[in-house]
């Protein structure tokens, strides 16, 4: 998608603080961190949200989850704990329409999910 913000980051047209990358995925620090560690993981291929997962290969889905664990380990929060979040749609306040997972940790997170 030509004008999608995260597609542009994935193509290297907009700089990011990269944490991890492979052929299919990119992980980079959130521009507006909500925790001491806040990393976004995106598929490089555009899909708007979790609602598009039925079109995605199983290997990509597994890769996204494995990348979250690898990021947590690399960020040193594997044992202290972390949260994996994907906002989907307006009620969840998804602000960028390119599927992404937030990896959040490095401090005790709120007890409440919402
Ligand atoms: P969400 O609200 O779940 O759609 O999260 C989108 C996140 O993307 C939000 O936490 C801020 C982050 N973000 C928005 N624009 C940029 C950007 O240009 N660079 C980076 N690194 N993060 C961004």
């Amino acid at each position: 998608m030509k004008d999608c913000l995260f597609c542009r980051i994935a193509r290297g047209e907009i700089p990011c603080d990269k944490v991890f990358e492979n052929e299919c995925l990119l992980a980079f620090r959130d521009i507006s961190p909500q925790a001491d560690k806040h990393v976004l993981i995106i598929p490089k291929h555009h899909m708007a949200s979790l609602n598009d997962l039925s079109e995605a290969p199983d290997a990509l889905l597994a890769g996204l989850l494995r990348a979250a664990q690898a990021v947590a380990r690399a960020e040193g929060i594997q044992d202290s704990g972390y949260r994996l979040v994907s906002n989907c749609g307006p009620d969840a306040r998804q602000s960028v329409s390119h599927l992404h997972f937030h990896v959040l940790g490095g401090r005790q997170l709120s007890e409440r999910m919402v």
Side-chain angles (χ1 to χ4, degrees):
M1 287 263 286
K2 190 167 167 293
D3 296 326
C4 165
L5 174 63
F6 285 177
C7 284
R8 296 193 65 200
I9 288 176
R11 289 196 297 266
E13 295 170 7
I14 294 176
C16 69
D17 187 354
K18 192 185 299 180
V19 171
F20 171 81
E21 182 175 22
N22 68 21
E23 196 180 306
C24 308
L25 313 170
L26 176 66
F28 54 97
R29 296 191 195 285
D30 195 290
I31 204 166
S32 178
Q34 306 295 311
D36 293 1
K37 304 288 184 180
H38 188 169
V39 174
L40 300 174
I41 303 173
I42 63 167
K44 289 184 175 177
H45 177 76
H46 183 82
M47 52 190 79
S49 75
L50 287 172
N51 286 341
D52 291 346
L53 281 188
S54 58
E55 296 162 22
D58 289 353
L60 176 62
L61 309 186
L64 286 163
L65 291 177
R66 290 210 174 94
Q69 193 271 328
V71 163
R73 188 175 60 235
E75 293 293 302
I77 56 173
Q78 176 174 258
D79 295 330
S80 53
Y82 57 97
R83 193 168 282 165
L84 184 62
V85 174
S86 186
N87 295 319
C88 181
D91 277 359
R93 299 182 183 273
Q94 182 181 2
S95 62
V96 179
S97 292
H98 181 124
L99 176 66
H100 53 282
F101 290 91
H102 300 255
V103 180
L104 296 147
R107 67 164 169 82
Q108 182 124 72
L109 300 174
S110 163
E111 210 176 328
R112 292 171 60 87
M113 290 291 290
V114 291

